[in-house]
Amino acid sequence: MNTYILGIESSCDETSMSIVKNGREEIATIVLTQMDVHAHYGGVVPEIASRMHIENITLVLESLLQKANMKVEEIDAIAVTYGPGLVGSLLVGVEAAKTLSYIYNKPLVPVHHIAGHIYANALEEEMKFPLIALVVSGGHTELIYMKEDYSFQKIGGTVDDAVGEAYDKVARVLSLSYPGGPKIDALALQGKDSYPLPLPMNDSTYDFSFSGLKSAVININHNEKQRGNSIIKEDLACSFQNRVTKILSKKTKHALESYHVKNLIVAGGVAASRGLRESLSKMTSEIGVSIHFPSMKYCTDNAAMIAAAGYFAYKLGHRADLTLNASANASLNGGK
Ligand code: KG4
Ligand code: ZN
């Protein structure tokens, strides 16, 4: 029998809903991004984000049902991102999910946003375990060991800025508009690695730190301007991206080898980076590991990944009741 999951995602600046069949087959997805609005401010403004989610959420549901040509009655369960993220934004999705669950008497499945990013892969191919997931987004930089379906063991993470956050801040210094990640990535491909930047947190742990690297970029930019020199943006972007990809590849390699894992999944918005894809692909081919990236549309926030993760959580019996609340700092360890 087929299982249809309605996924809801509103943790940051995308209002999204999706219907996914059996955790693998996307029936329809709507993603309404607020990016253009937040771009005026150089980053996501939480109050504006939650207000726009409220304005958009019923519209997104209506468009989704129309696109899928389905009714809520035909859905088996409702999966929603309950955290982590911006609490005011999360709440809109959580309340919508609870309302639908109550009115239509459908099970409510809580999904951790990072589980969603990882399960974006299930939409394109079957996930093979054990695996290591490298989650790189605007809010996260995490190495996660998965022994089997829906079992998450966090083995490392950032001690300060997330990698996407560092990309966005560096982009701002280079006067590039938000979100800066794709712009830095594009510039880096045209530049040379000519600026002396540090390799951050170059130790034997699985943790990361990007705030020192970000500050080093800011200092170089400032000092060169003081001297009346102009910055070669392409070269600074390339030097920054090379440090980021080098340290991510090095620590991911260490994790794959120590945990004897032959499958790597790369997830989250920064997984769209061509520089990172190249560097990780080179590393995994050298050590005989197979590497999997979701396609670009599943890398950034979307509800198809939440519905996909929601299917596996649903099958394992994960349920929430109407007391479900948004959790800005929800942790993934353990799987719930
Ligand atoms: O996963 P996501 O859409 O939202 C969060 O959960 O944070 O990730 C957004 C982040 C932003 O920081 C954006 O600059 C970055 O992903 N990003 C990229 C690229 N595309 C998006 N970073 C580097 N290269 C890209 N091509
Ligand atoms: Zn995300």
Side-chain angles (χ1 to χ4, degrees):
M1 212 179 73
N2 291 325
T3 304
Y4 293 90
I5 305 287
L6 168 64
I8 304 181
E9 157 65 36
S10 70
S11 65
C12 191
D13 58 347
E14 267 92 28
T15 321
S16 180
M17 290 200 193
S18 175
I19 298 172
V20 168
K21 182 175 153 187
N22 302 332
R24 305 279 322 270
E25 195 185 319
E26 181 186 15
I27 304 294
T29 302
I30 302 287
V31 182
L32 234 171
T33 181
Q34 311 170 359
M35 212 178 276
D36 292 351
V37 176
H38 298 289
H40 293 296
Y41 305 93
V44 178
V45 182
E47 289 78 5
I48 295 177
S50 49
R51 192 164 355 116
M52 290 190 72
H53 283 305
I54 293 171
E55 284 167 12
N56 293 337
I57 196 119
T58 44
L59 208 73
V60 170
L61 176 64
E62 277 166 21
S63 322
L64 175 73
L65 295 173
Q66 208 167 44
K67 191 170 174 190
N69 196 19
M70 285 179 77
K71 297 192 179 80
V72 183
E73 285 85 346
E74 296 170 78
I75 301 291
D76 293 281
I78 295 164
V80 62
T81 308
Y82 69 97
L86 301 169
V87 74
S89 293
L90 287 164
L91 270 172
V92 180
V94 168
E95 288 308 315
K98 289 200 290 191
T99 308
L100 290 171
S101 156
Y102 179 70
I103 295 175
Y104 294 96
N105 194 24
K106 301 287 178 190
L108 184 61
V109 181
V111 174
H112 190 282
H113 184 74
I114 297 300
H117 274 302
I118 295 172
Y119 274 88
N121 277 274
L123 293 162
E124 288 169 306
E125 54 187 334
E126 197 178 331
M127 286 162 56
K128 300 219 171 63
F129 300 95
L131 62 81
I132 293 282
L134 170 67
V135 182
V136 278
S137 74
H140 298 272
T141 312
E142 282 166 27
L143 275 169
I144 291 159
Y145 171 70
M146 290 181 75
K147 189 164 162 269
E148 58 201 0
D149 243 326
Y150 234 76
S151 122
F152 307 95
Q153 185 190 338
K154 181 175 165 183
I155 60 174
T158 181
V159 296
D160 42 54
D161 290 359
V163 62
E165 196 180 347
Y167 264 97
D168 294 339
K169 284 182 184 160
V170 164
R172 212 164 153 174
V173 171
L174 299 182
S175 311
L176 305 168
S177 62
Y178 174 84
K183 285 149 202 138
I184 296 271
D185 187 31
L187 277 182
L189 289 175
Q190 304 159 27
K192 293 191 300 290
D193 185 347
S194 59
Y195 286 98
L197 291 170
L199 191 60
M201 208 156 172
N202 185 19
D203 58 20
S204 59
T205 69
Y206 299 116
D207 290 329
F208 303 97
S209 161
F210 293 104
S211 99
L213 176 60
K214 172 195 71 189
S215 304
V217 173
I218 294 172
N219 288 343
I220 287 179
N221 187 52
H222 178 78
N223 293 342
E224 291 297 306
K225 276 193 179 150
Q226 292 273 312
R227 291 191 196 114
N229 299 334
S230 59
I231 279 286
I232 304 165
K233 284 187 187 181
E234 292 82 356
D235 290 359
L236 193 50
C238 176
S239 309
F240 166 77
Q241 175 150 289
N242 276 3
R243 292 315 168 275
V244 169
T245 57
K246 191 164 179 187
I247 199 67
L248 286 173
S249 295
K250 183 184 165 183
K251 296 209 169 182
T252 306
K253 179 178 181 215
H254 179 35
L256 288 163
E257 288 176 338
S258 305
Y259 282 77
H260 309 290
V261 167
K262 291 287 175 202
N263 287 294
L264 173 67
I265 277 182
V266 191
V270 184
S273 157
R274 273 170 290 177
L276 183 60
R277 284 177 178 235
E278 228 168 73
S279 149
L280 290 171
S281 301
K282 186 163 170 279
M283 178 274 286
T284 48
S285 82
E286 278 165 10
I287 60 169
V289 163
S290 67
I291 184 165
H292 311 267
F293 299 96
S295 59
M296 299 289 183
K297 68 172 176 168
Y298 294 132
C299 277
T300 48
D301 288 352
N302 66 85
M305 67 185 199
I306 302 303
Y311 167 81
F312 293 92
Y314 172 70
K315 287 285 169 195
L316 287 168
H318 294 204
R319 300 287 184 272
D321 62 21
L322 296 179
T323 61
L324 178 68
N325 205 352
S327 165
N329 308 306
S331 107
L332 181 59
N333 265 339
K336 289 197 183 179

